[in-house]
Structures are given as structure tokens and as C-alpha cells.
Amino acid sequence: KALQPLFKMSYSCSKVGHPRPGHPYKGGNFCAFLPANKEGRKTAKLLKKAFECGLTFQIKSCNGEERVTWGLIPHKTSWDGGKARNGYPDAQYLHEVGTVL
């Protein structure tokens, strides 16, 4: 079993501090995977708090279009592929993301 936090960011207008304040940005669906164990559940709570504080995502300008992307907090977006592809296996992930959070 695995926890799957799903974040849905819709279209909106950027605010002060974003690359182009007042311009619309493109949202998207973002999915991250955590193991369904004690440490994974603890990490899920920390990720939820980070999301509520606006730390999970950032707005970047790409080819003249503003879009939502992952922020600086690392997320596992695949069950496989290893660390190089933001997936598992990665024995240090929960420790590393816990340190960041």
C-alpha cells in the first residue's frame, strides 16, 4: 500500500513575489508517492503543512507562459526509476525530505 497525496492547482493569477505579478498561470495535477508506514505518514503530515504554507509549489515562466511547478521540497513522483528519476528505490528519501521539511 502507498499514500498518494494529490495536489490540484488550477488556473489563477500570480501575486507579488511571482515572476510576473498579475499575469495568469497554468495549473496542473501533481501526484507524489510515500510508503504506507509510520515514517511515510509522518512525512505526509509535514508535506501537508508545507502545502498549507505555500511551500510545495512555485510559479515559473517558460516560453512566455507562467506555470505551476514543484517547489524546492523533493517529491517522489514515481514508484520506480530510482533517485535519478524521482522514484523509488531511494533508501534516503524520507530522511532527506524530513530534513528539508
Side-chain angles (χ1 to χ4, degrees):
K1 291 184 178 180
L3 302 173
Q4 272 185 308
L6 176 64
F7 304 103
K8 185 174 184 176
M9 303 295 289
S10 59
Y11 285 88
S12 189
C13 282
S14 55
K15 299 175 182 163
V16 173
H18 293 150
R20 294 174 57 201
H23 287 81
Y25 61 84
K26 185 177 183 179
N29 293 319
F30 298 81
C31 188
F33 299 91
L34 293 168
N37 59 26
K38 183 179 178 181
E39 197 172 358
R41 286 186 290 277
K42 177 182 172 186
T43 301
K45 288 178 184 177
L46 293 172
L47 287 171
K48 181 180 181 203
K49 188 171 185 175
F51 176 78
E52 291 167 351
C53 291
L55 301 173
T56 304
F57 299 101
Q58 58 189 355
I59 299 174
K60 285 191 175 178
S61 184
C62 181
N63 298 325
E65 179 180 70
E66 310 303 313
R67 61 179 41 232
V68 176
T69 63
W70 289 110
L72 299 176
I73 299 168
H75 286 78
K76 290 298 178 185
T77 56
S78 175
W79 273 119
D80 54 22
K83 187 173 186 170
R85 295 191 181 192
N86 295 323
Y88 293 97
D90 182 353
Q92 296 300 312
Y93 172 68
L94 292 175
H95 173 73
E96 290 172 2
V97 75
T99 299
V100 170
L101 292 167

